[in-house]
Amino acid sequence: MEVFEFKKSLLVRQQEALQVLGARDVPMPASTVRKEWALFLEIAMEPTGWQALWRIPRLVCQELSTKFPTVVMGTVEKVLFDDLKAILVVEAVENDDFHLPEKQIIPLCDLWPLKHQRIELLNIDRTADCIDQLRFFYQHVWMPWDYDDDDEDRDWPKKHLESRIKFYCDLKNKTMPKRLTCHVLTLLDEANQLQKKRELLELETEDEDGTDPTENNSASDLLKIHLRLNSIKNVIETLEFFAPEMRTIYEQVCFPKETYYSEDHPQDPSACIITHVGSLDDQIEYLEITKKTIGHQKLVRICDSLQEALDRSRASDDIYLPPGQHEVKLFEDLNGDGSIQAIGSDQTQTVIRCRQDDTVLLTLAGDYRLENITLDCSNVQTGILVKRGNITFKNCCFTGDPKDIANHGILVCGNGTIRLEHCVVENFSFGICANSRCNVQLHNSTVRDCFEGIKIVDGCRLEISSSAVVNCRNYGTILEMDDDDDDEKDESAGETEAVQCYQDYRQLREWKEFVFEGACQFQNNGNGNFVVFRNDVGQ
């Protein structure tokens, strides 16, 4: 089912928004922006009868206990223009075992109209374009604090529309300095999370009318959110109206570079040491241990948190962590032959987790190394996303949420090699997934307690040495083949079944995708230790 997708320039986006918000050529306060969009959509788009896809958000999938992403196809019975939502009559769900109520009220921004409609007379091109304009505006232009703007004399489009779109493009094209870009993206993400929390709290306070405000925790939380949003607003609006050269000066003022080492060491530091709160003796002891690990020659920078180190360091820097919980929110890929290493060999003592619910914990797009770390992936869709490069994990533990039925531990999308040494991958829907032209190496490592342990496609090479895949509820290891690319194997093996199951890894010697060395263990995997799916058999 093909949906509409649009690629538009900055100028086009700006002109479209001006046509919506500036059509009447009168000042428009923020409080009337939503109404103006509703009027535009009511005139321009089809009110009923068109088919669309609804990509259920991840949090909703978790609440409904279905895999993410789950896609629903249905017909719009009625568009609720004032609410910018639509009533969708569900006709098909991607997951056959999952059942939804027949009618759902969906935000228009979450609907993707199909290119091919049952009623050909519908102006579906225009409808899809209207929803695209609405989606862009509310995702990238409108800010959470705009809901609080009660200045009826202010012309919101005149003040913000052009500057916000340019600001978005500057972030997207990375025209601002790296550290400032990361700082802004972090603030915007925090603001959006606060807005979602505020909406829930406002619903709670409506049910608590008549209670003492001093005893109302929701009211207290709302005040804290309001104050924090105001703080974020001041920063973002300052940068929004700054010229590019002024933004550079702003970065230099807010994030000054260290110069105290420049006389004796003109080059930049090549390592970052994260410290933790503790007594002076604890700090000295920790630094002494760190000194033994990194040696005497490297220039180092001391940082208060992993987030600060990632924001300030270069891609090739080595980052050293103390025991404890380290929360991050990354907006750039890790690459450049750098590393993150915990001081000490006990991986359970040093944990990295995402600061908020997100899609990916860490994205790797070049040679990189992680060592002696537990990666808590319980609140993300994918723990590690590998785009390319040679990636090494040594003495690491990847932990997911056993209740999440759609998460990945490690997902390898591009060309690259990942090597796991003395690692554990546990409690994921899919422990390790890799595409073709990848090399996955397990040495003295374990994949356990997942729905499916390891999943690869033909053209991927899986090397397992003295490792184990155990206690997976479905299959331990899966190989997906395109049957028409494997004619020679069919002739030699005499098999053309769509599904071939194996229990003993020694039965897989004929498959070039697998290499086994040492004492490997595969057991207690629900439907089989190994399975080969042939996609085109019988078609």
Side-chain angles (χ1 to χ4, degrees), residues 360-376:
V360 180
L361 176 58
L362 299 177
T363 301
L364 307 178
D367 298 351
Y368 212 79
R369 179 183 182 90
L370 288 96
E371 187 171 347
N372 301 332
I373 295 169
T374 290
L375 294 137
D376 181 355

Side-chain angles (χ1 to χ4, degrees), residues 252-301:
Q252 294 170 355
V253 172
C254 292
F255 311 110
K257 293 184 177 181
E258 299 91 336
T259 57
Y260 54 83
Y261 57 80
S262 59
E263 294 182 2
D264 298 327
H265 305 287
Q267 68 270 36
D268 289 334
S270 58
C272 291
I273 299 175
I274 314 302
T275 60
H276 49 24
V277 176
S279 67
L280 182 58
D281 289 339
D282 290 340
Q283 298 282 18
I284 293 174
E285 181 182 358
Y286 166 65
L287 292 175
E288 288 290 347
I289 296 173
T290 306
K291 181 179 178 181
K292 295 176 182 177
T293 302
I294 68 177
H296 302 266
Q297 302 301 318
K298 283 188 176 181
L299 292 180
V300 300
R301 171 189 285 117

